[in-house]
Amino acid sequence: MPVSEVDLSGLSSAYESFLAGGPVEPGVRSGILASWRRCKFFGLEPDRLEIPYQEGVDPEGRLLRAAGPVLEQLESAVSETNVSVILSDERGRVLQRRAGDPKLNKDLDAVQLAVGFTFAEPIAGTNGIGTALADRRPCYILGREHFAQGMEPFACAGAPVRNPLSGHIEGVLDFTCWRTEADPAMLTTVSRAAAEIEKRLAEQATERERELVRAFLRTRHHGRLPVGPPVSGPVTLGVPPTIGEVLDRSDHARLREKAAELISSSHRVTTEVMLSCGQVATLRCRPVTGPSGQMGIAVEARLSGSGLRGRIARTASGTADAGPSAPDSLAVATGRRAPRRSGPPRALPTSSEAPAPAGEGFVPNPKPPPTPAASDRSAPGSGTDEWLLLLGEPGVGRLAVAARRRLALLFDAGTRIGTTLDVRRTAEELAEVAVPQLADFAAVDLMDPVLRGEEPVPAHDELRRVAMSGVREESHLYEVGELVRFVPSAPQARSLAHQESVLEPVLAEAPGWFAQDPVRCAKIVGSGIHSLITVPMQARGVLLGVVSFLRSQSPDPFEDDDLSLAEELVARAALCIDNARRYAREHTLALGLQRSLLPQGLRSQSAVEVAHRYLPSRAGVGGDWYDVIPLSGARVALVVGDVVGHGVHAAATMGRLQTAVHNFSSLDLPADELLSRLDALVDRLDAVQDLAGTGRSVGSGVVGATCLYAVYDPVSRHCVLARAGHPLPALVHPDGTVEFPEVPAGLPLGLGLLPFETMELEISEGSELVLYSDGLIEDRNRDIDVGLKLLQEALAQPARPPEETCDAVLDALLPAHPSDDVALLVARFRSLDADRVTVWDLPRDDPASLCRTRAAVTEQLGRWGLEELEFATELIVSELVANAIRHASGPVQVRLLRDRSLICEVSDGSSTSPRMRQAATTDEDGRGLFMIAQLAARWGTRYTNCGKVIWTEQTLP
């Protein structure tokens, strides 16, 4: 709710309801309600607050010096209004209070809003100073919105004052007036005034550094050190032109980086830097004291190496061919370009020549430089040259180093987070990147639905610890895999509830965090962990979890700039995790679809013993599939196919092709004809006519498909194979030798250019036929011939069960996560014993042969112990043979097979297929096939090269 729309009449009742533990009306602003909840958690009582007092306000402090002129302007501007201008430090202690009429100030004294008293939110409740510090943003508190009852008559507008270099909050500027005279515009005014104080803080830092430069120049009595211009941040004095012609840009940057690290270091005073040009630069620190007592560090550089003397001398004399000389570095400070010159560089003024301050028209001494003596190691042109490289305060140097490291950390995060589409791995990458650059421990807690690729549910009281990284193993933190339930007062729970980051600089002073698990939290603090940041992980409006960053080894607590960096890291990782979650959901859907389409359990066959495997790739579910289809006459069809592509579309296309193969195989089509019909189907799928009737065809997305189809007959032990662009099968003989039969290749399905060819093999009993998709042998890191060689070696072992063969092949050829999906089918062949097959040839011109055949069938069934089937089988044989003699041509043959069912086959030389029809009551014939269909479990017709076979199957008793 905007501050201008605050309902004063409803606040009191809402406040009383809140204190009583009842519901709060929606008229209370969310920020105020959150502050009330914090105050209640801290155990504050609105009518009894103890405001501590501290003496010793330093009038010369950095914040007071910067804010002084701004406070004077504000005091003059509000002199005719009843507004008191208050400045506090970063802990909420009042440093100054200006303006305000006597009555207002007297009432402010009564509530102890005066110099020396601390008004932090955990102490004084909701107020303009403490709430601005807690929320780290400007706030406006009106009347009853104050938590303390004594503050109800007032209105406050507070804005934090940040250090422009570090982002750390230095204090709060606050306007306080009577509630009846409040104006929401105070919030805008106080924010602008705080920005002016921040600007003066930045100028203050720059002036201090300029004083350090002047102090350094005065102490260097010989005055020959080349000096560049001071700039913002650490004063970068640069590299003199004579040296700059020798070094390249990367060397310049490396020298400045090492110099900044020396300034920020508390114990290192010198270091050596190896440069790309082959020279060695020695950097040395020298302390500097400014006129106002501030301490600084000057870094001098000395360059040495073979051949340096001649190059610098040529550069100084203007004979070097490196191009135009560099502009005078001091001219940069004045904003003017120096005239180009070809002579040697001019010397800087000596200490007796009272140099002008840098940035105030400081120009080189026009007198020519003295001739360098052999013993003067600082003179330009000597074998070793020295110059002032960098000058700054240790604190500022630390800020520069920290800023550079933060940029490096963000760059590192961009390259290391999100390398895979795996939720857990992405969370681990985030934790690994954050430690130790940002934190000493990092933990990622996600909701369980996120790990499964599902949409997170609104109720998020339980999270799963997915990843954790730390500088040491022992931390007493929750372990990876644990299910964590955060109490409402815990920083993680607050981050999730309000979807905003929480900074706890001092964990020992955070009772909300201790309430999670007092015993565990005491151990954590005892182990040295002292500061915490929690950041909610959300992407595209979806809340995924929370990330915790903890610090232990660094004595400095987390600050606002650390909070911003943590939020940036988590925001980048959240997008990657959400992408991984969405991918996991699509992958699960596609995998579920494909597994539902693949055979759930292959039927046991007498002809073959099979084992199979399917492995999805890390790129997603593909279109690889396999099947074992029982055919008539105890035969079996083995098929493996591959649809190009990945995802739901490839899985759906695979299902359509698999169904088509089932349908075509039920017609008992030869292998080559079946592939031809499948080819025509793929062609139709890949060429759908434009609905607009333009005649153009648009692709449906089926880029290509391959297939290998094999039919094995256990009676003849013959196997007929045909393939459409699929890899060659492997045949493992009983003795363990392996060959790859040269089955005619054929084109991939959908091209429809050439007919397919078949190959017939005679298979020894106990041999294995291995069918597979190309993902098994093809890999981007190895040639296909290498893959075939590895497959041959893995298969070369006799008398191994198909299940063991599958495992051996996958272990030898595939990594843990293959780049392409793989289908593997291993079939060990068996033959049908001769005593389970009986054949009778019937002459067409002998009518009595039918009687003899019925008798022979009955006798054979008796030998097999199938007397229960004698009557039905006699009728079936009689009907089929009679039809063959009456309507067909060529020789007639009857064959009985005792397999898992009783199979009766009658073949003749005609290609005409009988058709079952419903005979009328007056018809004298037409009931034979109908009767056969009632007696047999299944029946059908298959065609051969010289005619057809009508077959029936009866269930064994």
Side-chain angles (χ1 to χ4, degrees):
M1 180 192 302
V3 294
S4 58
E5 300 178 6
V6 174
D7 183 9
L8 298 178
S9 60
L11 275 175
S12 295
S13 60
Y15 177 75
E16 296 298 333
S17 177
F18 172 78
L19 293 180
V24 180
E25 298 177 3
V28 182
R29 289 185 284 151
S30 59
I32 299 299
L33 183 58
S35 177
W36 286 358
R37 288 171 176 164
R38 292 195 296 266
C39 296
K40 191 173 183 180
F41 175 77
F42 293 140
L44 301 182
E45 298 183 14
D47 55 345
R48 291 196 301 271
L49 295 180
E50 297 181 3
I51 310 298
Y53 175 78
Q54 296 180 2
E55 296 181 351
V57 175
D58 182 12
E60 296 298 324
R62 180 171 55 181
L63 177 60
L64 282 174
R65 289 204 314 272
V70 178
L71 294 178
E72 292 177 0
Q73 295 176 6
L74 291 175
E75 185 176 19
S76 175
V78 302
S79 60
E80 299 181 0
T81 63
N82 290 329
V83 176
S84 181
V85 181
I86 302 171
L87 180 70
S88 78
D89 61 12
E90 74 276 8
R91 294 187 176 272
R93 184 179 59 158
V94 178
L95 302 179
Q96 278 199 13
R97 192 182 72 190
R98 298 197 179 196
D101 67 355
K103 186 177 186 312
L104 174 63
N105 289 334
K106 182 179 179 181
D107 288 347
L108 292 179
D109 289 338
V111 297
Q112 298 177 315
L113 187 54
V115 175
F117 289 93
T118 300
F119 265 72
E121 192 178 69
I123 297 174
T126 307
N127 67 89
I129 296 175
T131 304
L133 286 173
D135 289 343
R136 291 178 171 78
R137 58 187 175 188
C139 66
Y140 179 76
I141 314 296
L142 180 64
R144 186 61 280 162
E145 291 182 331
H146 289 88
F147 187 79
Q149 293 180 355
M151 295 291 294
E152 183 178 2
F154 305 105
C156 305
V161 178
R162 299 177 184 272
N163 187 315
L165 294 178
S166 66
H168 177 70
I169 295 180
E170 300 282 347
V172 174
L173 183 64
D174 173 86
F175 287 177
T176 300
C177 65
W178 300 111
R179 180 189 64 193
T180 55
E181 299 179 8
D183 186 348
M186 292 193 312
L187 188 62
T188 303
T189 305
V190 75
S191 298
R192 292 176 178 173
E196 287 296 321
I197 298 176
E198 292 174 351
K199 182 178 179 181
R200 292 187 58 80
L201 283 172
E203 293 173 351
Q204 197 177 81
T206 303
E207 179 57 33
R208 289 166 63 88
E209 290 173 346
R210 289 176 178 172
E211 290 180 0
L212 290 175
V213 173
R214 291 194 288 267
F216 177 82
L217 293 176
R218 292 189 186 99
T219 58
R220 299 292 286 168
H221 60 85
H222 52 77
R224 293 197 185 103
L225 284 179
V227 181
V231 295
S232 62
V235 184
T236 304
L237 303 172
V239 180
T242 53
I243 305 297
E245 296 292 341
V246 179
L247 308 180
D248 60 20
R249 183 175 301 177
S250 63
D251 290 333
H252 296 178
R254 183 165 177 79
L255 287 175
R256 289 194 297 270
E257 179 180 1
K258 289 299 182 182
E261 291 180 0
L262 280 178
I263 292 176
S264 64
S265 175
S266 60
H267 59 280
R268 296 177 62 190
V269 295
T270 184
T271 187
E272 289 188 347
V273 182
M274 178 63 70
L275 305 177
S276 62
C277 60
Q279 317 303 324
V280 177
T282 303
L283 306 185
R284 181 179 60 184
C285 292
R286 185 186 300 276
V288 179
T289 304
S292 59
Q294 73 272 24
M295 296 297 297
I297 301 292
V299 178
E300 298 172 317
R302 185 166 53 191
L303 191 66
S304 61
S306 60
L308 183 63
R309 179 193 303 269
R311 275 180 285 173
I312 295 180
R314 290 195 300 271
T315 302
S317 63
T319 59
D321 57 355
S325 60
D328 193 295
S329 59
L330 291 173
V332 179
T334 62
R336 302 186 296 270
R337 287 189 63 85
R340 300 176 66 176
R341 61 175 183 264
S342 59
R346 303 167 185 167
L348 294 177
T350 62
S351 59
S352 62
E353 293 170 350
E360 300 178 7
F362 183 21
V363 296
N365 188 350
K367 294 189 297 182
T371 303
S375 61
D376 189 358
R377 296 176 60 83
S378 300
S382 64
T384 304
D385 278 74
E386 187 176 22
W387 72 95
L388 179 60
L389 178 64
L390 197 71
L391 195 147
E393 296 179 78
V396 178
R398 282 192 294 272
L399 294 175
V401 173
R404 182 168 58 252
R405 288 175 178 170
R406 289 187 178 97
L407 289 176
L409 176 59
L410 290 177
F411 174 80
D412 194 28
T415 58
R416 292 177 56 187
I417 298 178
T419 58
T420 66
L421 285 172
D422 182 80
V423 173
R424 293 181 183 273
R425 180 56 195 151
T426 305
E428 292 170 356
E429 290 169 345
L430 169 61
E432 292 168 359
V433 167
V435 177
Q437 289 88 340
L438 172 62
D440 297 315
F441 295 92
V444 183
D445 303 316
L446 300 177
M447 303 177 194
D448 271 340
V450 175
L451 302 177
R452 298 190 298 266
E454 303 171 2
E455 291 290 336
V457 293
H460 43 255
D461 54 344
E462 285 187 344
L463 293 94
R464 181 81 59 183
R465 178 139 299 180
V466 179
M468 189 176 71
S469 180
V471 294
R472 62 177 186 269
E473 294 185 2
E474 183 61 33
S475 63
H476 302 291
L477 299 171
Y478 292 106
E479 297 294 334
V480 173
E482 286 192 60
L483 198 62
V484 185
R485 182 188 293 271
F486 293 106
V487 299
S489 62
Q492 292 86 350
R494 286 152 49 197
S495 289
L496 292 170
H498 304 293
Q499 298 186 17
E500 59 183 19
S501 304
V502 174
L503 169 60
E504 294 288 358
V506 184
L507 275 181
E509 301 175 2
W513 177 72
F514 267 95
Q516 173 68 29
D517 187 342
V519 176
R520 181 189 294 267
C521 292
K523 293 181 180 179
I524 292 174
V525 173
S527 67
I529 296 177
H530 58 81
S531 191
L532 168 70
I533 288 176
T534 63
V535 182
M537 178 174 286
Q538 50 188 343
R540 303 181 180 96
V542 177
L543 190 62
L544 306 173
V546 65
V547 184
S548 303
F549 302 93
L550 301 104
R551 182 168 286 179
S552 63
Q553 293 189 344
S554 173
D556 299 325
F558 284 121
E559 296 184 345
D560 289 343
D561 51 351
D562 300 310
L563 181 64
S564 301
L565 179 60
E567 290 175 339
E568 177 67 22
L569 282 179
V570 174
R572 295 189 180 194
L575 286 175
C576 297
I577 286 182
D578 191 53
N579 290 338
R581 177 187 67 85
R582 292 168 181 262
Y583 168 79
R585 180 182 60 189
E586 297 298 328
H587 180 77
T588 301
L589 289 175
L591 185 60
L593 173 62
Q594 185 176 48
R595 292 201 181 278
S596 66
L597 295 174
L598 287 174
Q600 300 303 308
L602 299 180
R603 289 175 54 185
S604 178
Q605 304 291 328
S606 299
V608 291
E609 177 188 356
V610 296
H612 51 86
R613 297 289 188 275
Y614 172 75
L615 277 73
S617 70
R618 61 171 179 262
V621 175
D624 291 14
W625 55 283
Y626 58 86
D627 210 343
V628 178
I629 306 171
L631 301 177
S632 64
R635 297 171 305 134
V636 64
L638 308 172
V639 56
V640 170
D642 183 4
V643 176
V644 177
H646 295 89
V648 175
H649 178 77
T653 303
M654 175 272 291
R656 300 172 77 175
L657 296 183
Q658 183 189 28
T659 302
V661 170
H662 264 279
N663 292 333
F664 294 151
S665 64
S666 67
L667 300 176
D668 269 319
L669 297 177
D672 52 348
E673 186 176 346
L674 185 142
L675 289 183
S676 297
R677 295 201 181 190
L678 201 61
D679 176 76
L681 173 63
V682 174
D683 185 56
R684 288 196 300 272
L685 292 177
D686 203 25
V688 179
Q689 291 296 323
D690 186 5
L691 296 179
T694 60
R696 293 180 290 108
S697 296
V698 293
S700 64
V702 181
V703 179
T706 64
C707 183
L708 192 151
Y709 187 79
V711 177
Y712 173 68
D713 186 347
V715 177
S716 63
R717 291 188 291 106
H718 284 189
C719 183
V720 179
L721 303 96
R723 64 183 179 124
H726 204 80
L728 288 171
L731 180 61
V732 184
H733 295 282
D735 60 356
T737 59
V738 181
E739 64 171 312
F740 295 92
E742 292 294 336
V743 182
L747 296 175
L749 298 174
L751 300 181
L753 299 178
L754 296 173
F756 297 98
E757 301 180 33
T758 62
M759 178 182 187
E760 184 170 350
L761 299 174
E762 183 173 353
I763 306 294
S764 302
E765 184 169 4
S767 299
E768 287 183 346
L769 187 67
V770 181
L771 310 182
Y772 51 89
S773 58
D774 57 0
L776 182 68
I777 57 174
E778 292 184 3
D779 189 274
R780 66 182 63 183
N781 298 322
R782 72 182 179 213
D783 189 74
I784 187 173
D785 293 335
V786 177
L788 289 173
K789 182 65 175 177
L790 292 174
L791 176 61
Q792 185 177 22
E793 294 174 354
L795 294 175
Q797 183 171 341
R800 183 170 54 187
E803 289 289 343
E804 295 183 9
T805 301
C806 285
D807 295 335
V809 168
L810 297 183
D811 292 342
L813 278 84
L814 292 184
H817 301 285
S819 58
D820 194 8
D821 51 338
V822 175
L824 175 64
L825 181 65
V826 177
R828 169 172 287 181
F829 293 120
R830 303 166 179 161
S831 61
L832 204 61
D833 295 337
D835 60 354
R836 302 174 66 181
V837 180
T838 304
V839 179
W840 298 275
D841 293 317
L842 281 67
R844 291 180 52 83
D845 54 356
D846 184 5
S849 61
L850 178 55
C851 296
R852 293 194 298 269
T853 302
R854 283 200 303 264
V857 167
T858 302
E859 183 181 353
Q860 183 62 47
L861 292 179
R863 286 195 293 267
W864 285 342
L866 300 178
E867 291 82 359
E868 296 181 21
L869 300 179
E870 289 180 358
F871 177 74
T873 306
E874 283 188 24
L875 289 177
I876 291 174
V877 171
S878 298
E879 184 63 31
L880 293 180
V881 171
N883 283 340
I885 293 175
R886 180 183 303 178
H887 303 290
S889 61
V892 178
Q893 186 182 76
V894 177
R895 186 170 74 163
L896 282 184
L897 296 92
R898 184 177 182 271
D899 190 31
R900 297 176 184 269
S901 62
L902 178 62
I903 302 172
C904 178
E905 297 179 344
V906 176
S907 60
D908 56 55
S910 172
S911 59
T912 303
S913 175
R915 181 174 61 89
M916 186 177 67
R917 63 186 180 89
Q918 188 71 36
T921 55
T922 58
D923 291 342
E924 296 182 359
D925 55 5
R927 297 178 177 83
L929 289 181
F930 179 77
M931 181 180 62
I932 290 174
Q934 302 303 312
L935 295 175
R938 293 197 311 149
W939 75 279
T941 304
R942 72 171 181 268
Y943 295 92
T944 63
N945 295 331
C946 55
K948 67 176 182 296
V949 176
I950 302 177
W951 56 268
T952 64
E953 290 185 6
Q954 300 175 73
T955 305
L956 296 180

